[in-house]
Amino acid sequence: MHSHLKKLSFAGALITLGIIFGDIGTSPLYVFQTLLVEGGKVNEALVLGSISCIFWTLTLQTTFKYIFITLQADNHGEGGIFSLYALVRRYGKWLAIPAIIGAGTLLADGIITPPISVTSAIEGLSNVPALAASFVPGSRLILGIVIGIMLLLFFFQQFGTKVVGSAFGPVMLLWFFMIGTLGLLQIIHYPTIFKALNPYYGFELLTEHPKGFWLLGAVFLCTTGAEALYSDLGHCGRKNIQASWIFVKTTLVLNYLGQGAWVLLQPAGKNFTGINPFYQIVPYPHLFMIPCVALATLATIIASQALISGSFTLISEAVSMNFWPRITIKYPSNIRGQIYIPSINWILCFGCIAVSLYFQTSEAMTAAYGFSITVAMLMTTVLMYYFMRYVKHWPVWLVTIILCVFLTIEFSFFVANAVKLLKRLFFLVFEFGLIFTMYIWFKARKINNRFLNFIDLKDQIPLLNALSADKSVSKYSTHLIYLTKANNAKQIEEKIMYSIMSRKPKRADTYWFIHIETTNEPFTMEYSVDQLEPGKIIRVEFRLGFRIQPRVNVLFRKVIEDMVARKEVNITSHYDSLSKFKINADFRFVIMEKFLSYNNSFSVKEGFILNSYFAIKKLAQSEAKAFGLDTSETYIEKIPLVVKPVGNIILKRVAGSVKDLYPN
């Protein structure tokens, strides 16, 4: 996204509508219908109370928490739970846990948002008189169309959204105008519906209705896109989101009020089973229903696209921050931040199709939707406390009030949604798998790092110089490159020196040590060079943002070109036969990959974590591929990980006798 589009402008606001508000903007398709179904007998108290709860949820949760407060937690313009974690992680090691849970649950509901949105849109065709017999909710025809749309959606991810992305904004602008107008047309017939904005009716519903409190599970569906809204902050900028929200919220509220007005205008005792008020308020259905469904379908596809792109970004950040195994990440266009992750794409695709086949109707899907998002929002609130208190330095009394308000609201939603657990057992494996993978990867890396022994590189310079000059040792490579985790430029891992010196020594003319620092900023791309021994021992430090993939081969080549241009290094081959022809010297990377040694005796917990880690690692991308290293230039060296050597081995030596072996 161009930086000028992050400034408040009409173009920026239009793009914001297309990227940010798709999920929350399509919620009128199913929210009010769900409340009517779950509320039982439809009467004025249920309608007014439901709309009151929706309005105040959008006001307190979406507007106050996310639009005004959470959007301030921008990490150099970027949002999302990992961006927030990067801002506050220095204030508590345990903060990784809410970040992992929040990211895992946010991804998990990603497999139900596209099906529920697209299905609710296509089911609208059942309101067209000529098509009502064929387009029955849950029918094979509707399922086939929904699955076909999602297959195409996921198939086209590999090509990027550059071509169709420019149409997202205008389509969503038309969508919001349409839903606002539809609502207004009904409000004109029943202006009394505006009293539903009074919080009294919401309170009365929650306290006096037989199922009052549990209806919060359905009410919550109106704000499910708020967490994704924060995740997409970097695409449009805070000011455009805040300005656009005024228009978006107005049209949403008008539509909900219009649906409520239509319901209250119906004859008393009418059965609303199988009736979606959203489509019932469309005038002249024989003329406008098909265009309305077509626009709704486009809007839900755009909402799904934003969620899929957000999932790719989230996993990419998780890889950079060592919460996820390294996997193949592709760049389908030259737009900064636009990525494509094949494995995640097809996992989401399979999940979305499975959800459609399992639940079949949007009504059944809403019964299982929302629980994970409430957990994600609670985790964001926990991290936001540290941001408000320690980054923004807001007074304790103010932070405490804000925290109490949101924890009360979100915990109420959590309890109301907890009853959905039995209906969403289908998702638990997926959710558990995501959170388990992140937790294991994070904890195992911590255990790994405990056993990193660093030594003073300055003390090793004489040894490296001596080896480099020793003609009795055959040359391993002219330029030998290692990746180091040593943050201190004066240190090196002991295992690297062991790799160079042990077995067959690796003699080279120049030893390079590359260190990658992942910064808290999203798009940093910087490097520095420290010649510890000019022309012989060189350390390169890359400072990369957490949204930049560490393609070391490409980056290192750029560094070499820069250093040659500055005459800081000579890469002409040192072999006599090649140097006179100005042939470039050879470069070789050495990647050290660990495996779990049998010589280990650790606790049950550490054993489970490490065994799980190495099992997952077998499915992950290799280190060489993850760092973008050409296999022809890379040597993989396997080294054992010994956490706690097996001890207490009692081996008794007994006297041997030669004459027993040779009796004669």
Side-chain angles (χ1 to χ4, degrees):
M1 188 61 57
H2 298 295
S3 58
H4 72 271
L5 291 178
K6 291 188 179 183
K7 297 175 183 177
L8 183 58
S9 64
F10 177 75
L14 190 63
I15 289 170
T16 301
L17 291 178
I19 295 176
I20 303 292
F21 295 114
D23 190 2
I24 204 167
T26 52
S27 56
L29 283 166
Y30 48 82
V31 173
F32 196 63
Q33 178 192 24
T34 306
L35 281 161
L36 294 182
V37 171
E38 294 186 4
K41 183 181 178 182
V42 177
N43 53 31
E44 186 180 56
L46 175 65
V47 172
L48 296 180
S50 296
I51 294 175
S52 179
C53 286
I54 290 171
F55 174 75
W56 287 103
T57 297
L58 289 173
T59 301
L60 292 172
Q61 192 68 10
T62 313
T63 308
F64 187 48
K65 179 186 174 182
Y66 282 95
I67 297 294
F68 286 135
I69 297 180
T70 308
L71 287 186
Q72 293 188 46
D74 67 298
N75 192 335
H76 292 78
E78 297 298 319
I81 198 158
F82 281 133
S83 293
L84 178 56
Y85 169 70
L87 288 170
V88 301
R89 60 181 170 182
R90 69 175 71 95
Y91 303 111
K93 293 181 179 179
W94 69 276
L95 291 175
I97 302 302
I100 288 171
I101 295 172
T105 49
L106 192 60
L107 281 168
D109 258 4
I111 65 169
I112 194 171
T113 300
I116 193 175
S117 300
V118 176
T119 303
S120 59
I122 300 299
E123 284 176 352
L125 291 171
S126 63
N127 294 284
V128 180
L131 303 175
S134 301
F135 287 87
V136 179
S139 67
R140 289 185 178 181
L141 181 59
I142 287 181
L143 276 175
I145 293 172
V146 169
I147 291 172
I149 288 172
M150 286 191 292
L151 278 172
L152 287 172
L153 177 65
F154 284 102
F155 174 75
F156 280 106
Q157 294 303 311
Q158 60 193 302
F159 306 112
T161 56
K162 185 178 180 180
V163 177
V164 294
S166 57
F168 286 1
V171 169
M172 292 308 295
L173 179 64
L174 192 58
W175 166 257
F176 286 117
F177 266 124
M178 184 190 80
I179 65 172
T181 303
L182 290 177
L184 199 56
L185 290 174
Q186 294 299 319
I187 293 170
I188 291 170
H189 298 297
Y190 194 82
T192 314
I193 193 68
F194 275 111
K195 67 181 181 180
L197 303 184
N198 187 333
Y200 168 77
Y201 292 102
F203 179 77
E204 187 179 46
L205 176 73
L206 298 178
T207 55
E208 296 185 14
H209 191 279
K211 300 178 182 178
F213 178 79
W214 303 107
L215 288 177
L216 282 176
V219 170
F220 180 75
L221 299 178
C222 75
T223 188
T224 50
E227 191 68 32
L229 175 154
Y230 173 48
S231 298
D232 288 326
L233 168 63
H235 291 290
C236 305
R238 185 196 311 160
K239 291 181 179 179
N240 282 316
I241 295 175
Q242 291 174 336
S244 302
W245 174 243
I246 298 170
F247 167 67
V248 170
K249 185 183 177 184
T250 302
T251 59
L252 286 173
V253 172
L254 285 174
N255 191 265
Y256 284 122
L257 288 169
Q259 290 187 47
W262 178 83
V263 170
L264 292 178
L265 285 169
Q266 302 309 301
K270 179 172 179 173
N271 185 4
F272 287 90
T273 304
I275 293 177
N276 189 340
F278 178 85
Y279 290 111
Q280 295 300 319
I281 65 175
V282 176
Y284 308 108
H286 58 287
L287 288 177
F288 296 115
M289 187 60 71
I290 290 179
C292 177
V293 171
L295 187 56
T297 304
L298 285 174
T300 55
I301 290 171
I302 290 168
S304 303
Q305 173 60 55
L307 190 136
I308 294 165
S309 300
S311 298
F312 293 159
T313 302
L314 200 64
I315 289 293
S316 174
E317 290 177 10
V319 170
S320 297
M321 302 181 82
N322 291 322
F323 285 116
W324 194 264
R326 297 194 180 278
I327 50 178
T328 300
I329 297 177
K330 296 183 177 180
Y331 302 83
S333 73
N334 57 6
I335 298 175
R336 187 175 81 167
Q338 188 169 106
I339 57 178
Y340 167 65
I341 304 178
S343 56
I344 300 300
N345 184 67
W346 295 114
I347 287 172
L348 286 174
C349 180
F350 172 79
C352 288
I353 291 172
V355 166
S356 299
L357 293 173
Y358 183 80
F359 290 104
Q360 298 191 349
T361 67
S362 61
E363 185 179 315
M365 291 177 201
T366 56
Y369 188 37
F371 176 78
S372 292
I373 299 295
T374 59
V375 177
M377 287 182 171
L378 279 166
M379 297 304 105
T380 298
T381 300
V382 171
L383 295 176
M384 275 302 296
Y385 166 77
Y386 284 84
F387 174 78
M388 292 184 290
R389 185 71 191 93
Y390 298 108
V391 179
K392 284 290 189 179
H393 304 292
W394 290 1
V396 177
W397 65 268
L398 179 60
V399 174
T400 303
I401 291 172
I402 292 172
L403 195 70
C404 288
V405 169
F406 290 132
L407 285 179
T408 301
I409 294 171
E410 288 166 4
F411 191 71
S412 299
F413 281 132
F414 173 78
V415 173
N417 276 292
V419 297
K420 296 181 178 182
L421 271 177
L422 294 176
K423 297 177 181 178
R424 56 178 291 117
L425 292 175
F426 179 86
F427 301 99
L428 288 183
V429 174
F430 187 61
E431 288 174 346
F432 178 77
L434 288 167
I435 295 170
F436 175 79
T437 301
M438 289 189 193
Y439 176 78
I440 290 295
W441 205 258
F442 176 73
K443 293 298 288 186
R445 299 283 293 194
K446 290 290 185 186
I447 294 171
N448 253 324
N449 292 339
R450 274 200 339 242
F451 299 95
L452 277 177
N453 294 319
F454 295 101
I455 55 177
D456 196 328
L457 183 54
K458 190 176 180 181
D459 295 340
Q460 309 304 313
I461 290 176
L463 184 57
L464 290 171
N465 279 332
L467 176 60
S468 182
D470 188 352
K471 298 291 178 68
S472 67
V473 179
S474 59
K475 189 183 289 187
Y476 184 78
S477 177
T478 306
H479 295 268
L480 189 60
I481 309 135
Y482 281 88
L483 298 181
T484 174
K485 292 182 180 178
N487 293 322
N488 189 334
K490 296 178 180 178
Q491 292 183 327
I492 195 74
E493 290 99 317
E494 191 175 30
K495 67 180 183 181
I496 290 181
M497 292 307 301
Y498 181 80
S499 170
I500 294 172
M501 300 300 170
S502 67
R503 305 187 188 106
K504 187 180 183 299
K506 297 180 178 69
R507 183 167 78 87
D509 292 334
T510 306
Y511 293 95
W512 298 80
F513 301 108
I514 295 177
H515 179 253
I516 300 171
E517 180 192 349
T518 302
T519 67
N520 289 338
E521 297 88 19
F523 295 108
T524 308
M525 287 189 73
E526 300 172 351
Y527 83 91
S528 61
V529 176
D530 190 1
Q531 298 222 29
L532 301 161
E533 185 78 1
K536 287 289 182 185
I537 302 170
I538 306 172
R539 177 184 165 103
V540 179
E541 174 100 19
F542 288 111
R543 297 185 72 252
L544 304 178
F546 60 83
R547 287 196 175 176
I548 299 294
Q549 292 304 305
R551 292 181 282 181
V552 173
N553 201 44
V554 175
L555 296 171
F556 183 66
R557 193 173 296 164
K558 182 69 178 171
V559 170
I560 293 295
E561 290 173 2
D562 193 19
M563 291 181 71
V564 168
R566 295 168 182 258
K567 301 190 184 319
E568 293 176 339
V569 69
N570 180 13
I571 61 168
T572 305
S573 176
H574 292 182
Y575 294 108
D576 294 337
S577 58
L578 300 178
S579 61
K580 62 183 179 182
F581 292 103
K582 305 296 183 184
I583 302 297
N584 287 341
D586 57 305
F587 289 78
R588 177 173 282 197
F589 289 88
V590 175
I591 297 291
M592 290 182 286
E593 287 192 350
K594 290 181 179 177
F595 64 90
L596 194 58
S597 172
Y598 289 113
N599 182 28
N600 270 307
S601 174
F602 31 52
S603 66
V604 174
K605 181 182 176 182
E606 283 190 339
F608 176 74
I609 289 172
L610 289 170
N611 280 300
S612 300
Y613 170 76
F614 282 100
I616 294 169
K617 196 173 183 182
K618 288 178 182 177
L619 304 173
Q621 199 177 43
S622 68
E623 293 279 316
K625 195 173 181 182
F627 286 112
L629 300 174
D630 292 340
T631 52
S632 60
E633 299 176 351
T634 306
Y635 171 68
I636 308 297
E637 189 168 272
K638 300 285 186 179
I639 58 171
L641 173 63
V642 181
V643 177
K644 187 178 180 183
V646 176
N648 300 321
I649 297 177
I650 302 172
L651 186 62
K652 184 179 179 182
R653 176 173 176 171
V654 296
S657 176
V658 176
K659 65 182 180 181
D660 290 339
L661 296 174
Y662 305 100
N664 297 323

